[in-house]
Amino acid sequence: MTISGTTRVLGLFGDPVAHSLSPLLHARFTEQAETDSVYVPFQVTPEDLEQALFALPALNILGVNITVPHKESVFHLLSEHSQIAQTIGAVNTVINQNGQLIGDNTDAFGFLSDIRALFSSLPWEDSSVVVIGAGGAARAVVHALASTNVRKIIIANRTRQKAEELAAEMAPERAEASSLTPEELGPYLDRMGLLVNTTNLGLKGETIPGVDLDRAPAEAAIYDLIYNPPRTPLLEYAASRGLPSANGLGMLVRQGAKSFELWTGHTPEAEPVIEWLKDRLCSTFKQEGSNGGE
Ligand code: ATR
């Protein structure tokens, strides 16, 4: 890749950013699309966020991804949002449109396109889906699921009240709340077509309380947004039971591909990049944990 006087800058704001895979996957997208662009990680502290964000037009930077811990702060700093960012209440992609900054969110797209690619032959869209967690990542996942025909969305969270609030806000007709107790969650597991972990349980080898996969039907798919480590205890157990399962690496690549498309107009092919990263990650995973929302 050659940087010239015409090269456009794309990037990532986060704190930390050193562990991020986004520069790697965007380098692949740039090669594929042959765009005259470069993707740079910027470590931006919460104190410097506002200044860094509003410097984008002055620096003629085409756009940035936003990751932990800034997704909600950037949402509140910007006055223009896409409909989806508005609904989710968080921004993972900022587009510099001729000096005007627009906050968008590609996490829901990344999640939905990945489960559709992975589990296309399974009946999850005609079943109920169990979502573990009710935080920021769960908002994108529940929003994505609410746009499908799934029968029911059960949001199961340690703090039940947060699950109730999310259900009422995102899908009042189809979503229900549950605690993480076997008594309440168990009967939902018996009938589910898909279970999605959006919490950080599993980053350090934790199991998820109340989730007993022995109850899951044989065709139930298990998706964990965590991709580092590549196999959480949830995914290990799913594999041992022969349940179809996947981690959040595909979601990471697909949300990045959508951001790249929003900035450059080119739609990268996600599959070869997912395969390339899978191979690479087997040997290079570091200690920090990560999930598909970056
Ligand atoms: P993110 O943006 O990654 O979703 P978040 O908004 O802080 O992060 O949400 C974290 C989610 O993980 C929440 O659903 C949280 O449950 P609570 O709402 O009860 O806090 C869940 N979570 C985190 N640690 C947990 C733990 N030890 N046991 C159960 N749930 C946990």
Side-chain angles (χ1 to χ4, degrees):
M1 193 212 85
T2 311
I3 295 180
S4 72
T6 57
T7 304
R8 299 300 305 270
V9 179
L10 301 167
L12 169 70
F13 285 3
D15 186 19
V17 285
H19 69 289
S20 175
L21 296 178
S22 288
L24 286 178
L25 59 97
H26 279 277
R28 300 283 80 76
F29 299 155
T30 307
E31 275 172 16
Q32 263 190 32
E34 297 182 358
T35 48
D36 184 12
S37 60
V38 60
Y39 186 99
V40 185
F42 294 100
Q43 166 133 11
V44 178
T45 63
E47 301 74 56
D48 291 337
L49 180 65
E50 186 168 356
Q51 254 196 315
L53 187 66
F54 293 113
L56 292 174
L59 295 168
N60 202 21
I61 290 177
L62 199 50
V64 287
N65 281 134
I66 306 293
T67 188
V68 177
H70 301 318
K71 289 185 181 186
E72 281 162 28
S73 313
V74 168
F75 175 82
H76 293 295
L77 284 167
L78 293 178
S79 51
E80 295 281 322
H81 305 99
S82 67
Q83 186 59 50
I84 196 160
Q86 191 76 47
T87 311
I88 295 172
V91 165
N92 84 330
T93 306
V94 177
I95 304 153
N96 174 11
Q97 215 169 68
N98 305 317
Q100 187 178 23
L101 298 182
I102 298 163
D104 210 327
N105 193 308
T106 64
D107 285 336
F109 172 89
F111 166 71
L112 190 57
S113 52
D114 202 40
I115 56 169
R116 285 204 160 130
L118 288 161
F119 305 135
S120 60
S121 59
L122 296 168
W124 63 270
E125 280 210 63
D126 299 318
S127 324
S128 59
V129 177
V130 173
V131 177
I132 309 293
R139 291 182 70 81
V141 165
V142 171
H143 178 75
L145 291 169
S147 73
T148 70
N149 291 325
V150 297
R151 297 257 168 89
K152 213 184 257 185
I153 304 166
I154 296 95
I155 305 172
N157 197 43
R158 174 177 62 182
T159 312
R160 197 180 190 287
Q161 198 193 334
K162 277 168 71 181
E164 282 168 18
E165 287 165 6
L166 185 55
E169 186 190 335
M170 291 270 181
E173 256 123 64
R174 270 185 298 159
E176 288 178 22
S178 169
S179 62
L180 287 179
T181 58
E183 297 74 30
E184 194 178 6
L185 185 55
Y188 290 119
L189 303 176
D190 295 340
R191 297 188 294 273
M192 69 180 176
L194 172 69
L195 179 138
V196 184
N197 177 37
T198 72
T199 73
N200 46 19
L201 292 170
L203 281 176
K204 297 196 165 76
E206 309 94 325
T207 54
I208 306 172
V211 175
D212 175 6
L213 290 188
D214 286 336
R215 301 185 71 143
E219 289 191 312
I222 312 298
Y223 192 90
D224 199 328
L225 261 60
I226 297 170
Y227 60 80
N228 177 12
R231 271 188 165 199
T232 57
L234 177 75
L235 294 181
E236 289 285 359
Y237 199 76
S240 76
R241 264 220 51 204
L243 298 171
S245 61
N247 70 23
L249 192 65
M251 173 178 171
L252 173 82
V253 174
R254 292 176 197 279
Q255 61 78 32
K258 188 69 181 172
S259 299
F260 189 87
E261 180 188 310
L262 291 169
W263 295 320
T264 68
H266 292 269
T267 310
E269 251 192 280
E271 277 83 8
V273 181
I274 295 171
E275 292 310 313
W276 178 83
L277 265 182
K278 262 190 209 159
D279 287 347
R280 192 183 161 101
L281 293 184
C282 286
S283 51
T284 57
F285 261 135
K286 304 240 168 51
Q287 287 310 302
E288 301 93 347
S290 319
N291 75 27
E294 234 286 349

